[in-house]
Amino acid sequence: MTATPLPEHPDFLWRTPEPRSSYDVVIVGAGGHGLATAYYLARNHGITNVAVLEKGWLAGGNMARNTTIIRSNYLWDESAAIYEHALGLWERLPEELDYDFLFSQRGVLNLAHTLQDVREGVRRVNANRLNGVDAHWLEPDEAAKVCPILNVSPRTRYPVLGATFQPRAGIAKHDHVAWALARRADEMGVDLIQGCEVTGFLKDGDRVVGVETSRGRILAGRVGLAVAGHSSVLAERAGVRLPVQSHPLQALVSELHEPVHPTVVMSNHVHVYVSQAHKGELVMGAGVDAYNGYGQRGSFHVIERQMAAAVELFPVFARAHVLRTWGGIVDVTPDASPIIGTTPVEDLYVNCGWGTGGFKATPAAGWTFAHTIATGEPHPLNAPFALGRFTTGALIDEHGAAAVAH
Amino acid sequence: MLLISCPWCGPRDETEYHYGGQAHVPYPGNPADLTDEEWAAYVFYRDNPKGPFAERWMHGTGCRRWFNVLRDTVSYEVLAAYRLDEPRPALPGRADVHQPAEPAGGNR
């Protein structure tokens, strides 16, 4: 008996170049945001002498650990603008990148379980509509029509009193998003360099001129940081203090099931969010661990509470088995909004503070960060998200719409 | 789950406690003299070290008192727990102890 031969290994999607001694732009972090930044530096600004440095492997950090949810139903004008820009980009990226990363606009329900939740939800729906973001307020029976397995009985511990609904929201296959961006960036000349940890910065006075890495010195005209949970650790090496705190955020998947869950359901109050992957796993998340941490694992009691909420909201899940859990490290700002912009060090730019919601913003983060790096000035979409807002007090408080407790 | 020793009640599960962020951040000594940058530093900027970190915890389901914990943010090892009126314990033999930044206008 002869074994069936394995299929041919597919062509690699990007080159594996040796780092050169200098680049116009060095991006630190080959996650979704770093790759999107490199892609838009090349596509929008014609800057292709770019390296993306990654200490581990491409898209192996938070990009590989998120729950793949995409939506733009944020409260404030500044947030609605940038997340809606992202959603618009998501809608055309599969064609633009010629890569089907399974972007599925199946809608998102954000459940309300208290009178305050209801008021916040209705307010956010109105704010969204004023900002051109699709949003509806649904009564419990209407929410159950969108998601028939949702338990809207009034006899649960925290009954569903209604929900916001954004039909254009959805999910995408995160790994494929990264690979699609990486392939195109690589084709346009960007060097994607894995296994290359940035350990320090080369400075000339108040200006950054390169990076020290585990593979030697690399000079750079400009340096952009897109390293999520490690932003403050890295920025500190450049002499920049960031108002972020790093927390573990974990997620889990069940074994595979037949399609049962047609949309995305999130609940701030009982705290669980669920979608079903194309393959069939139920993908679930909850809040961050309260304490600071860099270990890529979360506390068990968070999972316990999340499971209790999930089983009450979806009784059909009661016999589902958890297949695996994992954690990422998220960098949380005081107002639950990101920081994208310049730093006190010239030619050093930072994209961080996305907390628990960076994946959905990937294209817009890349678009605006690339603009900022290319021109030295913020794009109108990221100007409000500058580091200086913590001094001026012009905060963008999205704790309510961030949908994950942090 | 973390096992944290409340200085008054002894070792209890993490779920009995409430987290309060960085310890040893005093209110500015001369608040009227602070610049906007110094206020921003006091209100919004905290240390975020990889390694030992002095932080506040409150024993919510026990004595409801605040205290400080030295905890490693990578290994999650609880290195010490001490009362608010006690100094931060030294960690002999640990070269990697993070030196906290001096808060604006504050005094320790």
Side-chain angles (χ1 to χ4, degrees):
Chain A
M1 209 173 110
T2 55
T4 311
L6 290 171
E8 291 282 314
H9 197 287
D11 285 342
F12 284 100
L13 295 174
W14 55 86
R15 298 165 295 130
T16 307
E18 284 299 308
R20 297 206 295 270
S21 59
S22 84
Y23 291 91
D24 292 341
V25 177
V26 162
I27 304 293
V28 187
H33 286 204
L35 293 169
T37 303
Y39 169 66
Y40 286 118
L41 274 172
R43 177 191 180 275
N44 292 359
H45 304 280
I47 300 174
T48 57
N49 184 18
V50 174
V52 183
L53 309 182
E54 169 57 50
K55 73 174 174 183
W57 61 90
L58 188 139
N62 287 358
M63 188 65 171
R65 300 161 196 272
N66 73 79
T67 49
T68 78
I69 296 165
I70 293 165
R71 60 190 180 89
S72 65
N73 55 351
Y74 278 69
L75 178 65
W76 299 105
D77 295 351
E78 300 88 342
S79 315
I82 196 165
Y83 287 107
E84 180 58 24
H85 183 67
L87 186 47
L89 292 173
W90 281 116
E91 285 171 331
R92 64 185 206 231
L93 266 180
E95 192 177 359
E96 184 178 311
L97 299 173
D98 190 23
Y99 200 122
D100 180 12
F101 50 71
L102 303 177
F103 177 48
S104 162
Q105 290 178 285
R106 56 183 62 189
V108 63
L109 289 168
N110 288 84
L111 304 181
H113 301 271
T114 68
L115 183 55
Q116 183 55 31
D117 273 357
V118 171
R119 288 171 176 158
E120 191 280 328
V122 171
R123 180 191 182 196
R124 188 149 48 83
V125 163
N126 290 332
N128 287 163
R129 295 174 87 140
L130 287 170
N131 277 318
V133 175
D134 57 320
H136 306 272
W137 175 257
L138 303 186
E139 295 299 324
D141 59 322
E142 297 170 310
K145 279 186 192 132
V146 173
C147 187
I149 58 170
L150 179 64
N151 179 11
V152 294
S153 158
R155 282 188 294 280
T156 58
R157 175 71 181 87
Y158 294 106
V160 174
L161 301 182
T164 68
F165 184 51
Q166 183 182 19
R168 285 167 60 241
I171 58 172
K173 197 90 175 127
H174 47 183
D175 297 329
H176 293 249
V177 172
W179 300 338
L181 288 165
R183 181 179 66 167
R184 272 286 182 271
D186 174 84
E187 280 173 5
M188 290 189 286
V190 171
D191 282 359
L192 306 173
I193 299 167
Q194 306 178 70
C196 181
E197 181 173 9
V198 170
T199 54
F201 294 86
L202 304 171
K203 281 167 80 173
D204 178 7
D206 281 342
R207 179 192 194 94
V208 73
V209 295
V211 290
E212 300 268 13
T213 80
S214 55
R215 294 169 69 174
R217 291 183 160 197
I218 301 174
L219 299 177
R222 290 178 173 175
V223 177
L225 306 183
V227 296
H230 283 75
S231 295
S232 67
V233 173
L234 201 53
E236 195 172 281
R237 291 185 192 155
V240 175
R241 200 165 187 227
L242 295 173
V244 298
Q245 299 280 290
S246 298
H247 294 263
L249 172 67
Q250 62 187 326
L252 59 86
V253 290
S254 73
E255 61 205 324
L256 307 185
H257 294 283
E258 291 294 317
V260 290
H261 191 315
T263 185
V264 180
V265 170
M266 316 187 73
S267 167
N268 253 349
H269 191 74
V270 300
H271 226 106
V272 65
Y273 40 100
V274 192
S275 64
Q276 188 168 20
H278 294 82
K279 226 170 21 171
E281 309 105 314
L282 299 165
V283 185
M284 300 191 198
V288 298
D289 282 5
Y291 52 79
N292 292 28
Y294 289 93
Q296 285 175 322
R297 61 181 194 269
S299 294
F300 185 75
H301 68 266
V302 173
I303 295 180
E304 199 175 18
R305 288 176 191 159
Q306 161 190 357
M307 292 293 96
V311 170
E312 181 134 3
L313 285 175
F314 303 95
V316 70
F317 292 177
R319 293 184 175 213
H321 292 107
V322 171
L323 197 65
R324 65 180 185 276
T325 72
W326 64 92
I329 304 305
V330 298
D331 48 332
V332 176
T333 61
D335 62 356
S337 286
I339 301 165
I340 324 161
T342 58
T343 70
V345 174
E346 205 178 334
D347 292 331
L348 179 67
Y349 301 88
V350 68
N351 168 59
C352 71
W354 290 92
T356 58
F359 176 68
K360 68 174 80 68
T362 299
W367 185 284
T368 57
F369 198 39
H371 178 100
T372 308
I373 292 169
T375 65
E377 300 290 330
H379 186 280
L381 287 171
N382 68 307
F385 296 95
L387 193 52
R389 74 178 185 273
F390 298 101
T391 303
T392 63
L395 303 184
I396 305 163
D397 187 352
E398 288 291 1
H399 281 284
V404 174
H406 63 233
Chain B
M1 190 180 295
L2 304 179
L3 183 65
I4 299 171
S5 275
C6 170
W8 292 277
C9 309
R12 298 286 193 278
D13 283 342
E14 170 190 343
T15 47
E16 293 202 6
Y17 299 96
H18 178 81
Y19 185 66
Q22 186 179 352
H24 307 295
V25 183
Y27 189 75
N30 299 299
D33 299 337
L34 260 55
T35 63
D36 287 351
E37 287 74 20
E38 288 167 333
W39 271 119
Y42 171 68
V43 175
F44 295 122
Y45 286 72
R46 294 291 180 269
D47 294 342
N48 190 27
K50 251 184 126 164
F53 186 42
E55 56 195 14
R56 302 179 301 172
W57 290 79
M58 193 267 278
H59 193 185
T61 62
C63 62
R64 298 191 53 77
R65 283 197 269 192
W66 287 92
F67 60 99
N68 291 337
V69 170
L70 259 185
R71 186 180 59 89
D72 190 305
T73 61
V74 178
S75 69
Y76 298 166
E77 185 187 355
V78 175
L79 304 166
Y82 54 102
R83 297 194 315 258
L84 298 181
D85 58 356
E86 293 176 323
R88 174 182 162 139
L91 292 173
R94 300 280 305 236
D96 57 343
V97 173
H98 176 82
Q99 290 305 318
E102 197 60 35
N107 49 47
R108 278 162 201 271

